[in-house]
Amino acid sequence: MPADQSTQKQHGEEAQRTSSVASHRVPRAVDAVPGAPSSLAPSERYQLTRVGRRARIGQIFKLARTYEVWRGLTPERMRSLIEDLGPMFVKMGQILATRSEILPQEYCDELGRLRTEVEPVPFSVVRDCLEAEYGIAPEHVFAWIAEHPLGSASLAQVHRARLVTGEDVAVKVQRPGAQQIMAQDIDIMRSLARHVSRFMRSEQVIDFTGVVEELWQSFREETNFLMEAKNLEEFYDLHVGVPNISCPRPYTAYCTEHIVVMDYIEGISVEDPATLRAAGFRLHDIGSQIVEDYAQQVLDDGFFHADPHAGNIIVSGGVIYFIDLGMVGRMGGHDRSLVQEMIFSIARGNVADLKDALMRFAVSRGDSSELDHAAFLTDLDYIVSDFAARDLQDLDVGGLFNALVNLARKNDVELPSVVTMFARGLVTLEGLLSEYLPDVNMIEIIARHMSRSTNPVSAAQEMASELKTDSWKALKSSLVAAGQLDLASRMLTRGQLKINTQLLGSEQVLRHIGGIIDRLSMAIVVAGLFIGSSVVYYAKIEPVIFGIPVIGFLGYSSALVLALGLGREIWRNSHGK
């Protein structure tokens, strides 16, 4: 990649420029804008009502009838339908655009246009949004704002502008009503997930409730632009000493929950490799630097871009800029070390180490004793046989983590959401590599990064820091346990101590024991009916029909029916049904 000698100078000028802006505050009307997430309940904050839910469901069905989805959809009609359905469906369409194993390639290509070709809202609406957020006319904040947006997405659109203090900026404005529509759609999905979960067994591959809750958490973070401004600032600070990698720096004084003001970066999107090549850039160098930095984000910083598709990366003046940090992932030192263990366990074909690392990473749903470890290891064998036979540089890390996520769900093991975000990010970057690094696998670059970053001194320092934190937690827990033990001892001496016990074990075994007890009880009832009916028969208790007491006849009949039913259950149980 051609190096720009003015890059460092450019960074210095930007730092001075943004520091001067930090001292300038928008008028007090802006400070009065509520920024932090409201403490109101979601139903009140996002205006979620039963009437609104029914109206939204009616809109969805109306659009389905308009597009006649039961007759099939062409790629173009599917994209148009998704755009009309609203921002949440557009977001899902963007995810599906990267999943060619789910949809044919022509559908993925068409849905890929949802990233940048969403119909923009009129500029008059944007201006009204700015005035509503700031409480003053936009002319008091911006010297001018371009009416035509730089880009329009499902949630927001970006306009170029200039502050009254003279700085060129990009203004990201959230679409009016998008937050409420997305909240309403997720609320509908939540209701559907609750009903569906009643009919889904625990061994089903997809945990609908967990997926929807993860979607809800992602929605809350992505629609709060103050959080995105904080992410931009943190990403910028982490890359101050990193050559040729950065992000637009936010102007926090002008940011609200629905507006982000950041540096305007004019460059070439990596979606356009032909233009980059014509400008003299080497695609191989760009791709290598992107993957190298992504490895640093995940494995060193523990703070990474969770949606690194080509539209969110631009090149300007020899510097690669990551933009749109609405979705980020965070990993602690412990999680980062487990990710490395999992990758190398797969490469070495060591199923035991892979299982150990995965189980230390995972959070099991329900009682961990119910996990079928034999079946879990068998599934891991399939993954190892698929991936471990390859050389390290040929290992498909994106496919690997997707396989592990599916494996975890199948075995009723819940992985942290950060693993899913990491896996999605790797799959997205691998799509970029097909154009920029056709002969190099991403894991090769990540492996080199891990080998270079393995510094014994820093590793020892990080381990010592984690040991210090764990020791403090252990000491605190010990003090709490000592206090509880003292309380238990005093209650024991006073005769006030009560002990609750719980039998832990397989529910299947307990149900089997319960079935045995039920059948034994039924056998006793049958025997009692037979003996009681015999006593009535010999006593000739009236009324009598054909020489048989009616009560005795009913007792014999009941005993016969129950005995036949009991025999049937015993036979089915003995034949494993």
Side-chain angles (χ1 to χ4, degrees), residues 75-129:
E76 293 77 12
R77 286 173 61 82
M78 175 179 282
R79 180 178 62 82
S80 299
L81 172 61
I82 290 175
E83 286 182 347
D84 290 343
L85 284 172
M88 179 54 64
F89 289 89
V90 171
K91 182 65 63 177
M92 296 171 64
Q94 292 172 353
I95 296 174
L96 287 174
T98 64
R99 304 298 301 273
S100 57
E101 76 277 11
I102 298 178
L103 291 176
Q105 188 60 46
E106 59 268 22
Y107 284 85
C108 293
D109 294 340
E110 185 65 27
L111 293 181
R113 298 174 58 188
L114 291 171
R115 298 191 184 278
T116 56
E117 298 186 20
V118 178
E119 185 69 24
V121 298
F123 178 73
S124 58
V125 177
V126 173
R127 190 186 183 285
D128 291 342
C129 291

Short mmCIF file of all heavy atoms in Angstrom, two decimals, residues 75-129:
data_model
loop_
_atom_site.label_atom_id
_atom_site.label_comp_id
_atom_site.label_asym_id
_atom_site.label_seq_id
_atom_site.Cartn_x
_atom_site.Cartn_y
_atom_site.Cartn_z
N PRO A 75 -35.52 -11.94 -6.38
CA PRO A 75 -34.59 -11.18 -5.51
C PRO A 75 -34.98 -9.72 -5.38
O PRO A 75 -34.90 -9.15 -4.27
CB PRO A 75 -33.24 -11.35 -6.23
CG PRO A 75 -33.36 -12.66 -6.96
CD PRO A 75 -34.79 -12.73 -7.40
N GLU A 76 -35.41 -9.09 -6.48
CA GLU A 76 -35.76 -7.67 -6.42
C GLU A 76 -37.01 -7.44 -5.57
O GLU A 76 -37.07 -6.50 -4.76
CB GLU A 76 -36.00 -7.12 -7.83
CG GLU A 76 -34.75 -7.07 -8.72
CD GLU A 76 -34.38 -8.45 -9.26
OE1 GLU A 76 -35.22 -9.39 -9.15
OE2 GLU A 76 -33.27 -8.60 -9.80
N ARG A 77 -38.02 -8.31 -5.72
CA ARG A 77 -39.25 -8.16 -4.94
C ARG A 77 -38.98 -8.44 -3.46
O ARG A 77 -39.59 -7.80 -2.59
CB ARG A 77 -40.34 -9.08 -5.47
CG ARG A 77 -40.94 -8.60 -6.79
CD ARG A 77 -41.90 -9.65 -7.36
NE ARG A 77 -43.02 -9.92 -6.47
CZ ARG A 77 -44.12 -9.18 -6.38
NH1 ARG A 77 -44.23 -8.09 -7.14
NH2 ARG A 77 -45.09 -9.49 -5.57
N MET A 78 -38.10 -9.37 -3.17
CA MET A 78 -37.76 -9.65 -1.77
C MET A 78 -37.09 -8.43 -1.14
O MET A 78 -37.44 -8.05 0.00
CB MET A 78 -36.84 -10.86 -1.66
CG MET A 78 -36.37 -11.13 -0.24
SD MET A 78 -35.31 -12.58 -0.08
CE MET A 78 -36.55 -13.88 -0.14
N ARG A 79 -36.17 -7.80 -1.86
CA ARG A 79 -35.51 -6.61 -1.32
C ARG A 79 -36.52 -5.48 -1.10
O ARG A 79 -36.50 -4.81 -0.06
CB ARG A 79 -34.40 -6.14 -2.25
CG ARG A 79 -33.67 -4.89 -1.75
CD ARG A 79 -32.56 -4.48 -2.68
NE ARG A 79 -33.06 -4.14 -4.01
CZ ARG A 79 -33.56 -2.95 -4.33
NH1 ARG A 79 -33.65 -2.00 -3.43
NH2 ARG A 79 -33.98 -2.72 -5.57
N SER A 80 -37.43 -5.29 -2.06
CA SER A 80 -38.44 -4.24 -1.91
C SER A 80 -39.36 -4.52 -0.73
O SER A 80 -39.72 -3.60 0.03
CB SER A 80 -39.25 -4.12 -3.21
OG SER A 80 -38.44 -3.77 -4.30
N LEU A 81 -39.76 -5.78 -0.56
CA LEU A 81 -40.62 -6.14 0.56
C LEU A 81 -39.93 -5.87 1.88
O LEU A 81 -40.52 -5.31 2.81
CB LEU A 81 -41.00 -7.62 0.46
CG LEU A 81 -41.74 -8.21 1.67
CD1 LEU A 81 -43.07 -7.49 1.90
CD2 LEU A 81 -41.96 -9.71 1.49
N ILE A 82 -38.66 -6.24 1.98
CA ILE A 82 -37.92 -6.03 3.22
C ILE A 82 -37.79 -4.55 3.53
O ILE A 82 -37.92 -4.12 4.68
CB ILE A 82 -36.54 -6.71 3.14
CG1 ILE A 82 -36.70 -8.23 3.16
CG2 ILE A 82 -35.62 -6.26 4.27
CD1 ILE A 82 -35.41 -9.00 2.96
N GLU A 83 -37.55 -3.73 2.50
CA GLU A 83 -37.46 -2.28 2.72
C GLU A 83 -38.78 -1.73 3.24
O GLU A 83 -38.80 -0.88 4.13
CB GLU A 83 -37.07 -1.58 1.42
CG GLU A 83 -35.61 -1.76 1.02
CD GLU A 83 -35.28 -1.00 -0.25
OE1 GLU A 83 -36.22 -0.56 -0.94
OE2 GLU A 83 -34.09 -0.85 -0.56
N ASP A 84 -39.90 -2.21 2.68
CA ASP A 84 -41.21 -1.71 3.11
C ASP A 84 -41.56 -2.19 4.52
O ASP A 84 -42.31 -1.51 5.23
CB ASP A 84 -42.30 -2.17 2.13
CG ASP A 84 -42.19 -1.46 0.79
OD1 ASP A 84 -41.50 -0.42 0.73
OD2 ASP A 84 -42.76 -1.96 -0.20
N LEU A 85 -41.03 -3.34 4.92
CA LEU A 85 -41.34 -3.88 6.25
C LEU A 85 -40.71 -3.06 7.36
O LEU A 85 -41.18 -3.08 8.49
CB LEU A 85 -40.90 -5.34 6.35
CG LEU A 85 -41.79 -6.36 5.64
CD1 LEU A 85 -41.15 -7.73 5.64
CD2 LEU A 85 -43.17 -6.42 6.30
N GLY A 86 -39.61 -2.37 7.08
CA GLY A 86 -39.03 -1.50 8.11
C GLY A 86 -37.61 -1.86 8.49
O GLY A 86 -37.03 -2.85 8.00
N PRO A 87 -37.02 -1.07 9.40
CA PRO A 87 -35.59 -1.19 9.71
C PRO A 87 -35.17 -2.52 10.31
O PRO A 87 -34.07 -2.99 10.03
CB PRO A 87 -35.36 -0.03 10.70
CG PRO A 87 -36.71 0.34 11.21
CD PRO A 87 -37.65 0.05 10.11
N MET A 88 -36.02 -3.13 11.15
CA MET A 88 -35.61 -4.40 11.74
C MET A 88 -35.50 -5.50 10.68
O MET A 88 -34.56 -6.30 10.69
CB MET A 88 -36.62 -4.82 12.82
CG MET A 88 -36.30 -6.16 13.48
SD MET A 88 -34.62 -6.24 14.15
CE MET A 88 -34.73 -4.98 15.42
N PHE A 89 -36.42 -5.52 9.73
CA PHE A 89 -36.36 -6.51 8.66
C PHE A 89 -35.20 -6.19 7.71
O PHE A 89 -34.59 -7.10 7.16
CB PHE A 89 -37.68 -6.55 7.91
CG PHE A 89 -38.81 -7.17 8.69
CD1 PHE A 89 -39.61 -6.38 9.52
CD2 PHE A 89 -39.05 -8.53 8.63
CE1 PHE A 89 -40.64 -6.95 10.24
CE2 PHE A 89 -40.09 -9.10 9.35
CZ PHE A 89 -40.88 -8.31 10.16
N VAL A 90 -34.90 -4.89 7.53
CA VAL A 90 -33.74 -4.53 6.71
C VAL A 90 -32.46 -5.04 7.36
O VAL A 90 -31.56 -5.56 6.69
CB VAL A 90 -33.68 -3.00 6.52
CG1 VAL A 90 -32.37 -2.59 5.86
CG2 VAL A 90 -34.85 -2.54 5.66
N LYS A 91 -32.39 -4.91 8.69
CA LYS A 91 -31.21 -5.41 9.41
C LYS A 91 -31.08 -6.92 9.25
O LYS A 91 -29.97 -7.44 9.03
CB LYS A 91 -31.34 -5.04 10.89
CG LYS A 91 -30.15 -5.46 11.75
CD LYS A 91 -28.89 -4.74 11.35
CE LYS A 91 -29.01 -3.25 11.56
NZ LYS A 91 -27.75 -2.55 11.24
N MET A 92 -32.19 -7.64 9.33
CA MET A 92 -32.16 -9.09 9.12
C MET A 92 -31.77 -9.43 7.69
O MET A 92 -31.04 -10.39 7.43
CB MET A 92 -33.52 -9.68 9.47
CG MET A 92 -33.89 -9.53 10.94
SD MET A 92 -35.61 -9.99 11.31
CE MET A 92 -35.56 -11.74 10.90
N GLY A 93 -32.25 -8.62 6.72
CA GLY A 93 -31.88 -8.84 5.33
C GLY A 93 -30.40 -8.62 5.10
O GLY A 93 -29.77 -9.34 4.31
N GLN A 94 -29.81 -7.65 5.80
CA GLN A 94 -28.37 -7.42 5.68
C GLN A 94 -27.58 -8.61 6.20
O GLN A 94 -26.54 -8.97 5.65
CB GLN A 94 -27.99 -6.15 6.46
CG GLN A 94 -28.54 -4.87 5.84
CD GLN A 94 -28.32 -3.67 6.73
OE1 GLN A 94 -27.86 -3.79 7.87
NE2 GLN A 94 -28.65 -2.49 6.22
N ILE A 95 -28.07 -9.22 7.27
CA ILE A 95 -27.40 -10.42 7.80
C ILE A 95 -27.53 -11.58 6.81
O ILE A 95 -26.56 -12.30 6.54
CB ILE A 95 -27.99 -10.80 9.17
CG1 ILE A 95 -27.69 -9.69 10.19
CG2 ILE A 95 -27.42 -12.13 9.65
CD1 ILE A 95 -28.34 -9.91 11.54
N LEU A 96 -28.73 -11.75 6.24
CA LEU A 96 -28.94 -12.83 5.28
C LEU A 96 -28.10 -12.64 4.02
O LEU A 96 -27.76 -13.61 3.34
CB LEU A 96 -30.42 -12.92 4.90
CG LEU A 96 -31.36 -13.50 5.96
CD1 LEU A 96 -32.80 -13.38 5.49
CD2 LEU A 96 -31.01 -14.95 6.25
N ALA A 97 -27.75 -11.40 3.70
CA ALA A 97 -26.95 -11.13 2.50
C ALA A 97 -25.58 -11.78 2.57
O ALA A 97 -24.95 -12.03 1.54
CB ALA A 97 -26.81 -9.62 2.29
N THR A 98 -25.11 -12.07 3.79
CA THR A 98 -23.79 -12.70 3.95
C THR A 98 -23.89 -14.21 4.14
O THR A 98 -22.87 -14.85 4.36
CB THR A 98 -23.07 -12.09 5.17
OG1 THR A 98 -23.81 -12.39 6.37
CG2 THR A 98 -22.93 -10.59 5.01
N ARG A 99 -25.10 -14.76 4.07
CA ARG A 99 -25.29 -16.20 4.34
C ARG A 99 -25.72 -16.91 3.06
O ARG A 99 -26.89 -17.23 2.86
CB ARG A 99 -26.33 -16.40 5.44
CG ARG A 99 -26.01 -15.68 6.73
CD ARG A 99 -24.71 -16.16 7.37
NE ARG A 99 -24.76 -17.56 7.67
CZ ARG A 99 -25.24 -18.06 8.81
NH1 ARG A 99 -25.72 -17.25 9.73
NH2 ARG A 99 -25.23 -19.36 9.03
N SER A 100 -24.75 -17.16 2.19
CA SER A 100 -25.05 -17.82 0.92
C SER A 100 -25.43 -19.28 1.11
O SER A 100 -25.97 -19.90 0.20
CB SER A 100 -23.84 -17.73 -0.02
OG SER A 100 -22.69 -18.29 0.59
N GLU A 101 -25.15 -19.84 2.31
CA GLU A 101 -25.57 -21.22 2.56
C GLU A 101 -27.06 -21.30 2.85
O GLU A 101 -27.64 -22.39 2.85
CB GLU A 101 -24.77 -21.83 3.72
CG GLU A 101 -25.16 -21.38 5.11
CD GLU A 101 -24.50 -20.05 5.48
OE1 GLU A 101 -23.93 -19.39 4.61
OE2 GLU A 101 -24.59 -19.68 6.68
N ILE A 102 -27.70 -20.16 3.12
CA ILE A 102 -29.13 -20.12 3.40
C ILE A 102 -29.92 -19.71 2.16
O ILE A 102 -30.94 -20.31 1.84
CB ILE A 102 -29.43 -19.15 4.57
CG1 ILE A 102 -28.73 -19.64 5.85
CG2 ILE A 102 -30.92 -19.02 4.79
CD1 ILE A 102 -28.93 -18.72 7.03
N LEU A 103 -29.43 -18.68 1.46
CA LEU A 103 -30.11 -18.17 0.27
C LEU A 103 -29.22 -18.33 -0.96
O LEU A 103 -27.99 -18.33 -0.85
CB LEU A 103 -30.44 -16.68 0.45
CG LEU A 103 -31.51 -16.31 1.48
CD1 LEU A 103 -31.63 -14.80 1.58
CD2 LEU A 103 -32.85 -16.93 1.14
N PRO A 104 -29.83 -18.48 -2.15
CA PRO A 104 -29.03 -18.50 -3.39
C PRO A 104 -28.23 -17.22 -3.54
O PRO A 104 -28.59 -16.17 -3.02
CB PRO A 104 -30.09 -18.65 -4.49
CG PRO A 104 -31.28 -19.24 -3.80
CD PRO A 104 -31.26 -18.70 -2.40
N GLN A 105 -27.15 -17.30 -4.30
CA GLN A 105 -26.23 -16.17 -4.41
C GLN A 105 -26.89 -14.94 -5.00
O GLN A 105 -26.60 -13.81 -4.60
CB GLN A 105 -25.01 -16.57 -5.26
CG GLN A 105 -23.90 -15.54 -5.27
CD GLN A 105 -23.35 -15.25 -3.89
OE1 GLN A 105 -23.08 -16.18 -3.11
NE2 GLN A 105 -23.20 -13.98 -3.54
N GLU A 106 -27.83 -15.13 -5.97
CA GLU A 106 -28.46 -13.95 -6.57
C GLU A 106 -29.31 -13.19 -5.55
O GLU A 106 -29.42 -11.96 -5.61
CB GLU A 106 -29.32 -14.35 -7.78
CG GLU A 106 -30.44 -15.34 -7.48
CD GLU A 106 -30.00 -16.79 -7.68
OE1 GLU A 106 -28.78 -17.05 -7.62
OE2 GLU A 106 -30.88 -17.64 -7.91
N TYR A 107 -29.90 -13.92 -4.58
CA TYR A 107 -30.65 -13.25 -3.52
C TYR A 107 -29.70 -12.52 -2.58
O TYR A 107 -29.99 -11.40 -2.14
CB TYR A 107 -31.48 -14.27 -2.74
CG TYR A 107 -32.73 -14.72 -3.46
CD1 TYR A 107 -32.68 -15.76 -4.38
CD2 TYR A 107 -33.97 -14.12 -3.21
CE1 TYR A 107 -33.81 -16.18 -5.06
CE2 TYR A 107 -35.12 -14.53 -3.87
CZ TYR A 107 -35.03 -15.57 -4.80
OH TYR A 107 -36.16 -15.97 -5.46
N CYS A 108 -28.55 -13.14 -2.26
CA CYS A 108 -27.57 -12.50 -1.39
C CYS A 108 -27.03 -11.22 -2.03
O CYS A 108 -26.86 -10.20 -1.35
CB CYS A 108 -26.42 -13.46 -1.09
SG CYS A 108 -26.89 -14.88 -0.09
N ASP A 109 -26.78 -11.26 -3.34
CA ASP A 109 -26.27 -10.07 -4.03
C ASP A 109 -27.29 -8.94 -3.99
O ASP A 109 -26.93 -7.78 -3.79
CB ASP A 109 -25.92 -10.42 -5.48
CG ASP A 109 -24.76 -11.39 -5.59
OD1 ASP A 109 -24.00 -11.50 -4.61
OD2 ASP A 109 -24.64 -12.05 -6.64
N GLU A 110 -28.56 -9.28 -4.18
CA GLU A 110 -29.59 -8.24 -4.18
C GLU A 110 -29.80 -7.68 -2.77
O GLU A 110 -29.94 -6.46 -2.59
CB GLU A 110 -30.91 -8.82 -4.70
CG GLU A 110 -32.03 -7.80 -4.85
CD GLU A 110 -31.75 -6.75 -5.90
OE1 GLU A 110 -30.98 -7.03 -6.85
OE2 GLU A 110 -32.29 -5.63 -5.78
N LEU A 111 -29.80 -8.56 -1.77
CA LEU A 111 -29.97 -8.08 -0.39
C LEU A 111 -28.77 -7.27 0.07
O LEU A 111 -28.89 -6.46 0.99
CB LEU A 111 -30.20 -9.27 0.56
CG LEU A 111 -31.51 -10.04 0.37
CD1 LEU A 111 -31.60 -11.17 1.39
CD2 LEU A 111 -32.71 -9.12 0.50
N GLY A 112 -27.61 -7.49 -0.55
CA GLY A 112 -26.44 -6.69 -0.20
C GLY A 112 -26.64 -5.22 -0.49
O GLY A 112 -25.97 -4.36 0.11
N ARG A 113 -27.55 -4.89 -1.39
CA ARG A 113 -27.83 -3.48 -1.69
C ARG A 113 -28.56 -2.79 -0.53
O ARG A 113 -28.64 -1.56 -0.51
CB ARG A 113 -28.68 -3.39 -2.95
CG ARG A 113 -28.00 -3.94 -4.20
CD ARG A 113 -28.94 -3.96 -5.40
NE ARG A 113 -29.46 -2.62 -5.69
CZ ARG A 113 -30.41 -2.38 -6.59
NH1 ARG A 113 -30.96 -3.39 -7.26
NH2 ARG A 113 -30.83 -1.15 -6.80
N LEU A 114 -29.06 -3.57 0.43
CA LEU A 114 -29.75 -2.97 1.57
C LEU A 114 -28.79 -2.19 2.46
O LEU A 114 -29.22 -1.40 3.30
CB LEU A 114 -30.43 -4.06 2.41
CG LEU A 114 -31.63 -4.76 1.76
CD1 LEU A 114 -32.07 -5.93 2.61
CD2 LEU A 114 -32.78 -3.78 1.57
N ARG A 115 -27.49 -2.42 2.32
CA ARG A 115 -26.53 -1.75 3.19
C ARG A 115 -26.43 -0.26 2.87
O ARG A 115 -26.23 0.56 3.76
CB ARG A 115 -25.15 -2.41 3.06
CG ARG A 115 -25.13 -3.87 3.50
CD ARG A 115 -23.70 -4.37 3.60
NE ARG A 115 -23.65 -5.78 3.93
CZ ARG A 115 -23.77 -6.26 5.16
NH1 ARG A 115 -23.93 -5.44 6.16
NH2 ARG A 115 -23.71 -7.57 5.38
N THR A 116 -26.51 0.09 1.59
CA THR A 116 -26.26 1.48 1.21
C THR A 116 -27.34 2.08 0.33
O THR A 116 -27.30 3.27 0.05
CB THR A 116 -24.91 1.59 0.47
OG1 THR A 116 -24.93 0.70 -0.66
CG2 THR A 116 -23.76 1.20 1.38
N GLU A 117 -28.29 1.29 -0.14
CA GLU A 117 -29.26 1.80 -1.10
C GLU A 117 -30.68 1.85 -0.54
O GLU A 117 -31.64 1.69 -1.26
CB GLU A 117 -29.23 0.95 -2.37
CG GLU A 117 -27.88 0.99 -3.08
CD GLU A 117 -27.92 0.27 -4.42
OE1 GLU A 117 -29.02 0.07 -4.95
OE2 GLU A 117 -26.85 -0.11 -4.90
N VAL A 118 -30.80 2.05 0.77
CA VAL A 118 -32.12 2.21 1.35
C VAL A 118 -32.64 3.61 1.02
O VAL A 118 -31.90 4.59 1.04
CB VAL A 118 -32.05 2.00 2.88
CG1 VAL A 118 -33.42 2.22 3.52
CG2 VAL A 118 -31.53 0.60 3.20
N GLU A 119 -33.92 3.69 0.71
CA GLU A 119 -34.52 4.97 0.32
C GLU A 119 -34.37 5.99 1.44
O GLU A 119 -34.81 5.77 2.58
CB GLU A 119 -36.01 4.77 0.01
CG GLU A 119 -36.71 5.99 -0.51
CD GLU A 119 -36.25 6.37 -1.92
OE1 GLU A 119 -35.75 5.48 -2.64
OE2 GLU A 119 -36.39 7.55 -2.27
N PRO A 120 -33.73 7.15 1.19
CA PRO A 120 -33.52 8.14 2.26
C PRO A 120 -34.79 8.89 2.58
O PRO A 120 -35.72 8.97 1.77
CB PRO A 120 -32.45 9.07 1.67
CG PRO A 120 -32.66 8.98 0.19
CD PRO A 120 -33.10 7.56 -0.09
N VAL A 121 -34.83 9.46 3.78
CA VAL A 121 -35.95 10.31 4.16
C VAL A 121 -35.68 11.72 3.64
O VAL A 121 -34.52 12.10 3.43
CB VAL A 121 -36.15 10.33 5.70
CG1 VAL A 121 -36.46 8.95 6.21
CG2 VAL A 121 -34.91 10.89 6.39
N PRO A 122 -36.70 12.53 3.40
CA PRO A 122 -36.49 13.90 2.89
C PRO A 122 -35.65 14.74 3.85
O PRO A 122 -35.67 14.52 5.07
CB PRO A 122 -37.91 14.44 2.75
CG PRO A 122 -38.79 13.24 2.67
CD PRO A 122 -38.12 12.19 3.50
N PHE A 123 -34.93 15.70 3.28
CA PHE A 123 -34.05 16.53 4.10
C PHE A 123 -34.86 17.36 5.11
O PHE A 123 -34.38 17.67 6.20
CB PHE A 123 -33.22 17.46 3.21
CG PHE A 123 -32.33 18.38 3.99
CD1 PHE A 123 -31.20 17.91 4.63
CD2 PHE A 123 -32.64 19.73 4.10
CE1 PHE A 123 -30.39 18.75 5.36
CE2 PHE A 123 -31.83 20.59 4.83
CZ PHE A 123 -30.70 20.10 5.45
N SER A 124 -36.08 17.72 4.74
CA SER A 124 -36.91 18.49 5.68
C SER A 124 -37.16 17.70 6.96
O SER A 124 -37.20 18.28 8.06
CB SER A 124 -38.25 18.86 5.02
OG SER A 124 -38.95 17.69 4.61
N VAL A 125 -37.32 16.39 6.83
CA VAL A 125 -37.50 15.54 8.01
C VAL A 125 -36.22 15.51 8.84
O VAL A 125 -36.26 15.57 10.08
CB VAL A 125 -37.92 14.13 7.58
CG1 VAL A 125 -38.05 13.22 8.80
CG2 VAL A 125 -39.23 14.16 6.82
N VAL A 126 -35.07 15.43 8.16
CA VAL A 126 -33.79 15.43 8.86
C VAL A 126 -33.61 16.73 9.63
O VAL A 126 -33.18 16.73 10.80
CB VAL A 126 -32.63 15.23 7.86
CG1 VAL A 126 -31.28 15.40 8.56
CG2 VAL A 126 -32.73 13.86 7.21
N ARG A 127 -33.96 17.84 9.00
CA ARG A 127 -33.81 19.14 9.66
C ARG A 127 -34.71 19.22 10.89
O ARG A 127 -34.30 19.73 11.94
CB ARG A 127 -34.15 20.27 8.68
CG ARG A 127 -33.79 21.64 9.19
CD ARG A 127 -34.27 22.75 8.25
NE ARG A 127 -33.86 24.06 8.73
CZ ARG A 127 -34.43 24.69 9.76
NH1 ARG A 127 -35.45 24.12 10.38
NH2 ARG A 127 -33.99 25.88 10.15
N ASP A 128 -35.94 18.70 10.78
CA ASP A 128 -36.85 18.71 11.93
C ASP A 128 -36.29 17.86 13.06
O ASP A 128 -36.44 18.22 14.24
CB ASP A 128 -38.22 18.19 11.51
CG ASP A 128 -38.95 19.16 10.57
OD1 ASP A 128 -38.55 20.34 10.52
OD2 ASP A 128 -39.88 18.71 9.87
N CYS A 129 -35.66 16.75 12.72
CA CYS A 129 -35.07 15.88 13.75
C CYS A 129 -33.94 16.62 14.49
O CYS A 129 -33.84 16.54 15.72
CB CYS A 129 -34.54 14.60 13.13
SG CYS A 129 -35.80 13.48 12.50
#
